[in-house]
Amino acid sequence: DIQLTQSPSSMSASLGDRVSLTCQSSQGIGNYLSWYQHKPGKPPKPMIYYATNLADGVPSRFSGSRSGSDYSLTISSLESEDTAIYYCLQYDEYPLTFGSGTKLEIK
Amino acid sequence: QVQLKESGPGLVQPSETLSLTCTVSGFSLTSYSVSWVRQPSGKGPEWMGRMWYDGDTAYNSALKSRLSISRDTSKNQVFLKMNSLQTDDTGTYYCTRDQSILRIEELFDYWGQGVMVTVSS
């Protein structure tokens, strides 16, 4: 199975900060990677698909990028509502696999 | 509007079978695929399997021997059955829709609220 390693596992940042979360794949997956935001008591919310495409309704301060087997989710200016756990998911091959998540908090 | 809703027992005895139903509205199961994803408490999500829009299925190899996914398109329902449950199967179970059959647009765009399943005697 493809392993996705997310870093950091948790972090805190201040409102207005630029924040980048990383997801590294154990093998090549092309751009077949998506990102989800998960808040307690709610289902995951889709954020990014095919590595760089913004899902419907997602604010433009979110963006996705790829450098080789490293994928990033960047928030250009952190807002309080962005507090959540963020997971990456690869869908290049079965079984689809999620990363272990990055917990993002506001300082 | 698009909705998915999971239903099923909240408590299952060890070694017994879990049966969950995902009832969908606002879209057709013959046009969109539906996956099951579970999340043990305090852990990351795990993709369990998929019912393709054409009736085909795909399973996580780690669960394949215990898992079955089926559907009733006339009732707009997708079913999950998993046998030989153990305590580490405890968690929240979600059904979710694939936004497109095109791989480059693949994304779980709508999710049910999830159903908490506890495996305990």
Side-chain angles (χ1 to χ4, degrees):
Chain A
D1 297 0
I2 295 174
Q3 306 297 318
L4 297 177
T5 302
Q6 290 190 242
S7 59
S9 56
S10 66
M11 65 175 296
S12 62
S14 300
L15 295 175
D17 280 356
R18 181 181 180 88
V19 170
S20 285
L21 315 180
T22 299
C23 175
Q24 182 177 62
S25 177
S26 62
Q27 62 190 73
I29 58 172
N31 281 352
Y32 296 114
L33 184 118
S34 53
W35 289 91
Y36 295 84
Q37 178 192 69
H38 198 189
K39 296 183 178 181
K42 294 189 173 183
K45 175 184 176 181
M47 305 299 284
I48 299 284
Y49 65 97
Y50 202 57
T52 63
N53 294 273
L54 217 59
D56 287 348
V58 175
S60 59
R61 64 181 181 275
F62 289 89
S63 63
S65 62
R66 172 194 172 192
S67 176
S69 61
D70 291 337
Y71 301 80
S72 295
L73 174 70
T74 298
I75 307 172
S76 60
S77 180
L78 191 64
E79 297 192 7
S80 57
E81 65 191 43
D82 300 334
T83 297
I85 300 177
Y86 291 85
Y87 294 101
C88 53
L89 165 70
Q90 69 80 21
Y91 52 97
D92 183 50
E93 65 176 50
Y94 287 130
L96 310 187
T97 49
F98 288 86
S100 54
T102 292
K103 185 175 184 179
L104 176 60
E105 296 177 317
I106 308 296
K107 278 183 186 174
Chain B
Q1 71 274 30
V2 172
Q3 291 186 324
L4 301 92
K5 185 173 183 179
E6 307 88 351
S7 58
L11 181 65
V12 179
Q13 304 276 333
S15 80
E16 304 240 311
T17 296
L18 172 66
S19 294
L20 297 177
T21 299
C22 175
T23 302
V24 309
S25 59
F27 68 97
S28 171
L29 292 175
T30 58
S31 297
Y32 290 87
S33 304
V34 170
S35 283
W36 288 94
V37 172
R38 69 176 180 175
Q39 185 160 23
S41 300
K43 295 186 178 180
E46 178 183 36
W47 176 79
M48 301 180 71
R50 169 184 278 148
M51 170 58 72
W52 284 97
Y53 66 95
D54 62 1
D56 200 2
T57 53
Y59 297 104
N60 190 322
S61 51
L63 302 172
K64 189 172 184 178
S65 63
R66 302 195 287 141
L67 183 63
S68 175
I69 297 174
S70 59
R71 69 179 184 179
D72 184 334
T73 56
S74 67
K75 293 183 178 179
N76 296 318
Q77 292 180 325
V78 180
F79 308 105
L80 177 147
K81 286 191 189 307
M82 189 163 70
N83 58 32
S84 305
L85 254 63
Q86 300 302 320
T87 54
D88 58 3
D89 292 312
T90 294
T92 300
Y93 287 69
Y94 298 96
C95 58
T96 176
R97 189 187 83 158
D98 285 329
Q99 77 169 0
S100 173
I101 62 174
L102 301 177
R103 281 194 75 204
I104 63 170
E105 295 180 353
E106 193 171 311
L107 181 72
F108 296 143
D109 63 346
Y110 287 91
W111 295 66
Q113 284 301 308
V115 59
M116 179 65 196
V117 174
T118 301
V119 182
S120 175
S121 54

